[in-house]
């Protein structure tokens, strides 16, 4: 319940009145006072680039003084929603969500609260289907809580909604201080029932032995193998590698028996990216708009893949570092499969589990 006596507004000479929200309060031990980060927009500048993270300070959590300068104002986005701040080791991390360019949850990193704030080469945690995320920590791990947005009407090409279902990633710190997103082990542990896989060749050369499945396509061809029907709720795991010159490779989800329709978790070595695709789809886009992540891969190197599906929700994790969320409305059932274009895919440790 709001307390009128404690209410304070955006100073008009500094900030616009309408975006003054999403407060994040923490105790700044160095300054010996409370700091509040606020989603705000500066009152001057290029209109769609006025978004910033404002700062207010207090000694008693009642009376707040708005700082004359914003905490972080890069002049890039319409606004910085849901600010969050935390520290791991020597690094501070500032998290916010922007809806002016790609509707992504992004982060910055700095050695000090005074900055300078560094933008990592990959400054997002996920794609378009993960937003408004904030973090919380257990003694052992930090988690990122956002929403996987629904679409209305429920089709793969409908507009995204402002809200959806909870999605949670586990965060870890790389040696260079950047952050990686992986599937929380608490979620993996829920899928305890092994679901049998049955390899059915569909196109190209398919070879199977006790340790791995090998799918080969000539330089100008596409090859695939089906692995059996997918349960509505399941966890698929595998370790992939590919040959030099391979165009793309990945997993088919809820695919038809002839591989004509379904969803594709596609790794594209030439573009060094992971994309989410579906067929059929309209337009000239090479995959579903906004559902892509940068991914460093190389011929012969192992690629660990996890895909969690539940109803219309899909959460993809690669190498315990890259996350990509998606929705599956048009195809509610179908088969699991693997595919490769213009090269060789080797798949080991294939497994499918249900709860």
């Amino acid at each position: 319940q709001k307390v009128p006596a404690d209410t304070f507004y955006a100073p008009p000479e500094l900030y616009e009145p309408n975006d003054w929200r999403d407060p994040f309060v923490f105790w700044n031990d160095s300054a010996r006072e409370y700091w509040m980060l606020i989603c705000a927009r500066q009152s001057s500048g290029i209109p769609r680039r006025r978004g910033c993270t404002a700062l207010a300070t207090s000694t008693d959590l009642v009376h707040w003084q708005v700082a004359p300068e914003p905490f972080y104002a890069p002049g890039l986005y319409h606004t910085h929603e849901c600010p969050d701040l935390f520290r791991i080791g020597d690094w501070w991390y500032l998290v916010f969500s922007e809806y002016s360019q790609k509707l992504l949850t992004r982060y910055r990193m700095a050695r000090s609260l005074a900055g300078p704030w560094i933008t990592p080469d990959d400054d997002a945690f996920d794609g378009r289907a993960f937003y408004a995320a904030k973090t919380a920590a257990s003694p052992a791990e930090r988690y990122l809580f956002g929403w996987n947005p629904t679409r209305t009407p429920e089709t793969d090409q409908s507009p995204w909604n402002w809200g959806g279902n909870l999605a949670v990633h586990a965060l870890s710190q790389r040696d260079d201080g950047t952050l990686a997103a992986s599937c929380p082990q608490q979620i993996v542990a829920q899928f305890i029932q092994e679901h049998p896989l049955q390899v059915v060749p569909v196109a190209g050369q398919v070879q199977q032995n006790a340790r791995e499945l090998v799918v080969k396509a000539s330089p100008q061809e596409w090859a695939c193998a089906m692995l059996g029907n997918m349960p509505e709720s399941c966890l698929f795991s595998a370790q992939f590698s590919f040959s030099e010159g391979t165009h793309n490779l990945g997993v088919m989800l809820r695919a038809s028996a002839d591989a004509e329709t379904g969803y594709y978790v596609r790794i594209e070595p030439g573009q060094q990216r992971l994309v989410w695709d579906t067929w059929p789809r309209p337009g000239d886009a090479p995959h579903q708009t906004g559902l892509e992540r940068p991914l460093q891969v190389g011929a012969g190197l192992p690629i660990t893949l996890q895909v969690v599906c539940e109803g219309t929700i899909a959460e993809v994790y690669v190498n315990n570092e890259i996350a990509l969320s998606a929705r599956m409305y048009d195809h509610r059932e179908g088969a699991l499969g693997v595919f490769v274009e213009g090269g060789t895919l080797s798949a080991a440790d294939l497994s499918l589990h249900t709860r």
Side-chain angles (χ1 to χ4, degrees):
Q1 183 175 354
K2 291 184 178 180
V3 180
D6 295 348
T7 301
F8 65 99
Y9 298 90
E13 69 277 10
L14 297 177
Y15 301 110
E16 294 182 1
N18 294 328
D19 283 286
W20 189 251
R21 51 189 171 83
D22 302 346
F24 176 83
V25 178
F26 68 100
W27 171 254
N28 185 329
D29 196 56
S30 298
R32 306 304 298 171
E33 61 186 0
Y34 294 99
W35 280 21
M36 179 191 294
L37 304 184
I38 306 168
C39 167
R41 278 175 51 82
Q42 293 179 292
S43 56
S44 62
I46 299 173
R48 68 185 178 93
R49 299 183 184 275
R50 294 179 185 176
C52 68
T53 304
L55 173 65
T57 63
S58 173
T59 58
D60 59 6
L61 292 175
V62 175
H63 304 93
W64 291 91
Q65 180 69 40
V66 178
E69 298 291 336
F71 182 78
Y72 179 65
L76 291 175
Y77 309 116
H78 184 271
T79 190
H80 298 188
E81 297 194 292
C82 303
D84 190 15
L85 184 79
F86 60 91
R87 186 176 185 177
I88 301 178
D90 295 332
W91 288 99
W92 286 95
Y93 298 94
L94 174 65
V95 177
F96 60 91
S97 293
E98 59 91 5
Y99 60 83
S100 52
Q101 291 188 346
K102 294 185 177 180
L103 283 97
L104 298 177
T105 296
R106 302 182 182 272
Y107 77 97
R108 302 292 186 260
M109 48 194 290
R111 297 283 191 178
S112 165
L113 288 177
W117 291 97
I118 300 169
T119 302
D121 290 338
D122 177 16
D123 68 333
F125 297 104
D126 202 322
R128 172 64 181 87
F130 183 81
Y131 195 75
K134 301 193 72 168
T135 74
S138 72
E141 202 162 25
R142 182 164 288 270
Y143 301 92
L144 183 69
F145 300 84
W147 74 56
N148 182 322
T150 51
R151 309 183 89 151
T152 302
E154 292 189 347
T155 72
D156 289 337
Q157 305 304 325
S158 296
W160 295 104
N161 288 325
W162 197 255
N165 295 86
L166 175 68
V168 184
H169 304 325
L171 296 182
S172 59
Q173 187 184 61
R174 300 185 182 96
D175 292 340
D176 63 358
T178 60
L179 297 175
S182 61
C183 185
Q185 288 304 306
Q186 297 90 332
I187 293 178
V188 174
Q190 300 302 309
F191 295 89
I192 58 176
Q193 186 67 41
E194 187 171 5
H195 191 84
L197 297 174
Q198 183 178 3
V199 177
V200 177
V202 176
Q205 301 178 41
V206 179
Q207 302 172 353
Q208 183 184 19
N209 57 44
R211 296 191 59 188
E212 65 179 357
L213 173 66
V214 179
V215 183
K216 296 182 179 180
S218 71
Q220 304 301 325
E221 292 182 343
W222 188 81
C224 75
M226 295 301 181
L227 305 176
N229 286 331
M230 287 183 62
E232 183 185 38
S233 178
C234 60
L235 166 65
F236 172 72
S237 301
Q239 183 167 291
F240 291 163
S241 63
F242 61 90
S243 63
E244 190 72 40
T246 297
H247 297 164
N248 60 72
L249 64 143
V251 179
M252 296 180 290
L253 307 174
R254 298 181 180 175
S256 58
D258 60 2
E260 179 63 14
T261 65
Y263 300 98
Y264 304 86
V265 178
R266 190 169 65 240
I267 297 167
E268 300 179 344
Q271 288 73 34
Q272 292 287 288
R273 68 181 178 185
L274 170 74
V275 304
W276 175 273
D277 201 3
T278 182
W279 193 262
R281 55 172 160 75
D284 298 327
H287 54 270
Q288 283 202 301
T289 302
L291 303 188
E292 62 179 301
R293 298 284 287 120
L295 177 65
Q296 295 184 3
V297 293
L301 300 178
I303 302 170
T304 300
L305 179 71
Q306 293 174 302
V307 183
V308 180
C309 297
E310 183 176 66
T312 65
I313 301 169
E315 300 291 334
V316 180
Y317 300 94
V318 180
N319 292 339
N320 293 315
E321 289 192 319
I322 301 296
L324 180 63
S325 301
R327 282 281 175 175
M328 304 179 291
Y329 285 115
D330 292 357
H331 311 296
R332 302 297 180 109
E333 58 184 23
L336 178 69
V338 294
F339 68 90
V340 65
E341 180 181 340
T344 299
L345 164 67
S346 298
D349 301 325
L350 295 165
S351 68
L352 183 64
H353 287 80
T354 59
R355 289 188 288 180

